[in-house]
Amino acid sequence: MLRHPQTKYRPFSPMSLPDRGWPDRVITAAPRWCSTDLRDGNQALVDPMDVARKRRFFDLLLRIGFKEIEIAFPAASQTEFDFVRLLIEQDLIPEDVTPQVLTQSRAELIERTFESLRGARQAIVHLYNATAPVFRRVVFGQDEAGTIALAVSGTRLIRARAEAAPQTRWTYEYSPETFCFTEPDFALEVCERVIEAWDPSPARPMILNLPATVEVATPNVYADQIEWICRHLSRRDAVTISVHPHNDRGTAVAAAELAVMAGADRVEGCVFGHGERTGNVDLVTLALNLYTQGVDPGLDFSDMRAVVRTIEDCTRIGVHPRHPYAGELVFTAFSGSHQDAIRKGFAARASGNDATWEVPYLPVDPADLGCSYEAVIRVNSQSGKGGVAWVLEQEQGLRLPRRLQVAFSRVVQAATDASGREMAAADIVALFRRTYGLEGEKRLALAGYTLAPPGRKGGSRRFSGRVVLDGRMLVIAGEGNGPLSGLADALARDAGLRLDVVDYQEHAIGQGVQAMAAAYVECALPDGRIVFGVGIDADSASASIEAFIGAANAALSSPAG
């Protein structure tokens, strides 16, 4: 890279529009959408789609809800031509969907294009020619007059061919390709001459597509260009303003949003942004950005995983795991602070009545896109107590007390630090059960017990039982106001295990007669160590006793000091 890039690259000169209005506007309705996946997207593939893959992609676009679809460049190849004929001859295009095709301004290509559309109910014929100075000078060796003449002659030929086939409802679209780096006055002049040649009306509008063929400036500059054109067109009411942003600077979505604020009525792009070079504007991101602002995009991504699978199969391009809204990891938090905030957000939502979605770090409810909550929080060495607690609650219905969350998160972090890998939910559950005495070998086990009723109201109760400690059977007995305190007293007297209960909590897992009880006990040992136990049983008293036995086993296995 150059130390002084200004010696090689020139900054783009923005236009002067001091009274611009778009910054104060808010998008309150979705634009018209046009998918260009089957043409622009297909031209960008290493292995262009055959008819079968294009047909599968087309069916997906219909399910998503696109009403305008650029299906082909029919004069470019026999495959493209055949695909258009297939859709028309087999009546595969719904009545409310308009196919769009692209052509350059050459007579033989326009003739071939209309041949492909024979018998269509309706169609958009899209003509383009490059208008920017570098293209006029370097690519075509053409002056301004020649550029205008090319656009106008193509428009007139398309009009004549359309008028000769009145059985089809024709819409004309013109693109001054490279609009975003064409002189504004000249871009306006070309567009005005094309409009004059087509002669649209409010009842029969044409589409004027203003592409950012190559991003050369920041999105606000593109918005200024769109607003300026919208202000200066002489027949704005007879023209649909469309935009077609590419993503060379990585700002196509922003450019499209600002262009709509600036007056654009329609957006062309691709699902997941597949297109030449860095791609076209990503219609998934654009549509779902609207959705998260409470605007119905008119496109259905409620089964996002199916959309991803189909497009990956058709294009043979993978969707990045961090792709907005669609990637495998976009709703996943590994960071401990993020996990804690998300868990609290879900808890607040469960306890409240507000239908408004407000969950930290999740701009959209994954369920709206057909995604489960299972992958929202995943645990690795970066995770904290909130993430571990979330996994146990989702997988086992366990709502751990905060101090137990902290203690177990340290156990999990030690395991993930040692492995250097993510820990799956099933592994976290298994580790939890081993750590807190729910399974595995135990030094202490309760073989049976009885709890005598109190002698008087509020009096103590006698706990009598048998335990196996390191293979020896012991008979134990103690006094307490319930099973937990009676067991603690009995173990202290007859087994030499003193544990003072610091905290006890319990809750139901599930509802109705099938509900289980989960009990959590935190105990302090004489030397100050803290241990935890967990019990799960259909009976809450049995669950509490199981939890205390778990804490006792933790005390036996925990090193002193």
Side-chain angles (χ1 to χ4, degrees):
M1 295 178 65
L2 301 175
R3 289 289 304 276
H4 302 285
Q6 69 273 18
T7 62
K8 185 174 183 178
Y9 300 101
R10 288 177 296 179
F12 188 82
S13 299
M15 66 189 312
S16 176
L17 195 67
D19 60 341
R20 61 182 60 84
W22 62 262
D24 295 325
R25 297 181 190 135
V26 176
I27 302 175
T28 57
R32 279 168 53 185
W33 304 109
C34 177
S35 162
T36 61
D37 289 275
L38 300 177
R39 196 279 306 169
D40 200 342
N42 191 44
Q43 284 183 305
L45 301 181
V46 175
D47 300 309
M49 291 180 279
D50 57 19
V51 169
R53 285 158 63 200
K54 288 191 74 167
R55 167 71 191 280
R56 187 180 175 201
F57 205 135
F58 179 75
D59 290 343
L60 173 68
L61 295 173
L62 296 181
R63 291 196 300 275
I64 292 172
F66 285 99
K67 301 304 180 184
E68 296 177 18
I69 302 172
E70 190 166 81
I71 57 175
F73 192 149
S77 73
Q78 191 62 45
T79 299
E80 296 286 280
F81 185 94
D82 290 345
F83 182 66
V84 178
R85 294 310 308 155
L86 172 75
L87 296 183
I88 294 172
E89 291 173 1
Q90 296 190 16
D91 196 21
L92 299 175
I93 304 172
E95 291 188 10
D96 63 343
V97 172
T98 303
Q100 176 173 306
V101 294
L102 184 73
T103 182
Q104 293 169 308
S105 186
R106 288 165 47 189
E108 69 276 15
L109 300 184
I110 292 172
E111 293 295 337
R112 180 70 166 165
T113 299
F114 273 87
E115 183 184 348
S116 76
L117 292 170
R118 186 180 65 255
R121 278 187 292 265
Q122 64 269 336
I124 299 169
V125 179
H126 181 186
L127 179 81
Y128 75 97
N129 69 308
T131 56
V134 67
F135 278 75
R136 300 195 309 260
R137 184 180 69 253
V138 175
V139 180
F140 300 110
Q142 200 172 58
D143 59 12
E144 291 184 0
T147 300
I148 293 173
L150 187 63
V152 170
S153 63
T155 301
R156 287 173 176 165
L157 179 55
I158 290 172
R159 179 175 176 175
R161 293 292 284 108
E163 289 174 349
Q167 66 276 15
T168 298
R169 296 190 300 276
W170 300 103
T171 299
Y172 178 54
E173 175 175 348
Y174 172 69
S175 287
E177 191 196 10
T178 65
F179 160 81
C180 65
F181 49 105
T182 298
E183 309 94 314
D185 289 338
F186 181 61
L188 178 64
E189 182 180 359
V190 174
C191 292
E192 290 283 18
R193 295 288 298 276
V194 166
I195 291 169
E196 179 184 329
W198 184 258
D199 192 24
S201 68
R204 190 180 67 94
M206 67 170 283
I207 299 168
L208 184 59
N209 188 54
L210 305 174
T213 309
V214 180
E215 280 197 308
V216 294
T218 51
N220 60 296
V221 173
Y222 187 52
D224 282 350
Q225 294 169 331
I226 298 300
E227 183 167 332
W228 188 88
I229 285 284
C230 288
R231 287 185 189 184
H232 289 85
L233 277 176
S234 60
R235 300 168 70 173
R236 176 67 178 91
D237 62 345
V239 172
T240 296
I241 297 294
S242 178
V243 293
H244 184 118
H246 278 253
N247 197 44
D248 302 87
R249 292 170 56 95
T251 59
V253 168
E257 289 177 327
L258 299 190
V260 171
M261 292 163 60
D265 310 298
R266 179 178 184 266
V267 176
E268 292 187 350
C270 294
V271 179
F272 301 136
H274 293 328
E276 291 186 281
R277 304 182 312 279
T278 54
N280 292 64
V281 64
D282 171 14
L283 297 184
V284 173
T285 301
L286 198 55
L288 292 177
N289 282 355
L290 292 178
Y291 182 76
T292 63
Q293 300 302 301
V295 176
D296 178 9
L299 299 176
D300 183 4
F301 293 106
S302 58
D303 190 356
M304 185 62 79
R305 299 271 63 80
V307 173
V308 170
R309 286 194 303 272
T310 300
I311 290 181
E312 287 184 332
D313 288 347
C314 290
T315 64
R316 296 173 183 167
I317 296 176
V319 173
H320 194 280
R322 300 288 182 191
H323 193 107
Y325 303 107
E328 182 185 355
L329 297 177
V330 294
F331 300 125
T332 300
F334 290 104
S335 161
S337 60
H338 289 204
Q339 293 174 340
D340 190 54
I342 290 170
R343 186 179 63 85
K344 289 174 179 175
F346 273 107
R349 183 170 176 79
S351 61
N353 297 315
D354 189 358
T356 303
W357 178 258
E358 284 188 314
V359 175
Y361 297 111
L362 294 179
V364 67
D365 186 349
D368 290 357
L369 307 182
C371 301
S372 72
Y373 295 142
E374 293 177 5
V376 169
I377 289 176
R378 288 162 57 177
V379 175
N380 63 15
S381 61
Q382 302 299 307
S383 305
K385 66 182 188 306
V388 173
W390 165 273
V391 170
L392 290 172
E393 183 170 353
Q394 297 298 305
E395 295 291 320
Q396 300 286 296
L398 300 175
R399 299 195 294 274
L400 273 56
R402 185 181 184 281
R403 286 169 61 86
L404 178 55
Q405 292 178 27
V406 173
F408 183 55
S409 70
R410 294 190 185 119
V411 176
V412 172
Q413 187 164 38
T416 53
D417 278 339
S419 69
R421 301 179 63 84
E422 176 188 359
M423 181 171 277
D427 295 329
I428 293 172
V429 171
L431 180 60
F432 180 81
R433 295 183 67 84
R434 291 194 305 272
T435 302
Y436 297 108
L438 293 171
E439 62 184 37
E441 294 294 326
K442 304 174 185 178
R443 291 181 61 185
L444 177 70
L446 182 64
Y449 74 94
T450 60
L451 189 66
R456 56 185 173 78
K457 186 176 182 180
S460 64
R461 306 175 69 181
R462 184 167 181 79
F463 181 98
S464 302
R466 292 173 297 118
V467 296
V468 178
L469 176 59
D470 292 333
R472 291 188 305 119
M473 179 70 73
L474 298 177
V475 176
I476 61 172
E479 299 284 336
N481 59 8
L484 204 60
S485 57
L487 173 59
D489 185 52
L491 286 176
R493 290 177 187 233
D494 300 321
L497 287 172
R498 179 172 295 281
L499 293 87
D500 294 326
V501 176
V502 175
D503 183 55
Y504 173 80
Q505 296 184 37
E506 65 177 41
H507 65 80
I509 303 175
Q511 296 179 338
V513 296
Q514 301 299 321
M516 300 288 283
Y520 311 96
V521 64
E522 178 183 352
C523 296
L525 303 182
D527 61 6
R529 286 177 293 152
I530 296 294
V531 291
F532 296 88
V534 179
I536 300 173
D537 198 278
D539 175 68
S540 60
S542 297
S544 68
I545 289 174
E546 184 181 338
F548 193 87
I549 293 293
N553 274 294
L556 289 167
S557 61
S558 175

